[in-house]
């Protein structure tokens, strides 16, 4: 399917973009901040593309909303790993 293939290619482009921008960041140190922004933007795009890829693959039956609901239901792993007790205030 061309739609799925485009998503795979977009994800695979992350390797050359990261490698070239990292190499350019080593060669041109003053431009490293701008190249870092480029890498961060493309990383966000790849995350979006990967989730879109999952929805396209898992929702081939035509029920993509069910796939989105399933992914949202399993997204509760983003809770913090440690629970801190609330601070007690000294009223002295």
């Amino acid at each position: 399917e061309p739609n799925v293939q485009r998503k795979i290619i977009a994800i695979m482009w992350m390797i050359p973009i990261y490698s070239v921008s990292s190499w350019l960041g080593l060669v041109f140190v003053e431009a490293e901040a701008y190249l870092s922004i480029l890498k961060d933007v493309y990383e966000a795009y790849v995350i979006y593309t990967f989730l879109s890829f999952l929805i396209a693959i898992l929702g081939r039956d035509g029920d993509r909303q069910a796939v989105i609901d399933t992914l949202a239901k399993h997204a509760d792993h983003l809770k913090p790993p440690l629970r801190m007790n609330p601070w007690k205030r000294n009223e002295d």
Side-chain angles (χ1 to χ4, degrees):
E1 295 178 25
N3 188 28
V4 175
Q5 290 174 348
R6 271 186 257 128
K7 292 174 187 351
I8 293 171
I9 295 299
I11 293 169
M12 289 178 65
W13 267 104
M14 186 173 193
I15 299 163
I17 288 176
Y18 258 60
S19 61
V20 168
S21 62
S22 295
W23 181 78
L24 288 173
L26 290 172
V27 173
F28 304 105
V29 178
E30 64 278 353
E32 195 273 329
Y34 300 109
L35 294 169
S36 176
I37 292 172
L38 173 74
K39 288 192 292 188
D40 290 343
V41 168
Y42 195 74
E43 180 181 1
Y45 173 71
V46 166
I47 292 171
Y48 162 77
T49 305
F50 180 70
L51 289 174
S52 178
F53 170 74
L54 284 178
I55 292 169
I57 291 294
L58 298 174
R60 286 187 178 177
D61 303 337
D63 194 10
R64 294 179 186 223
Q65 188 60 41
V67 173
I68 294 171
D69 292 340
T70 302
L71 290 173
K73 183 174 67 173
H74 292 293
D76 63 347
H77 66 280
L78 300 176
K79 295 177 185 171
L82 299 174
R83 300 216 183 242
M84 304 290 283
N85 293 331
W87 289 12
K88 296 179 182 177
R89 294 179 62 167
N90 290 334
E91 301 295 329
D92 296 335

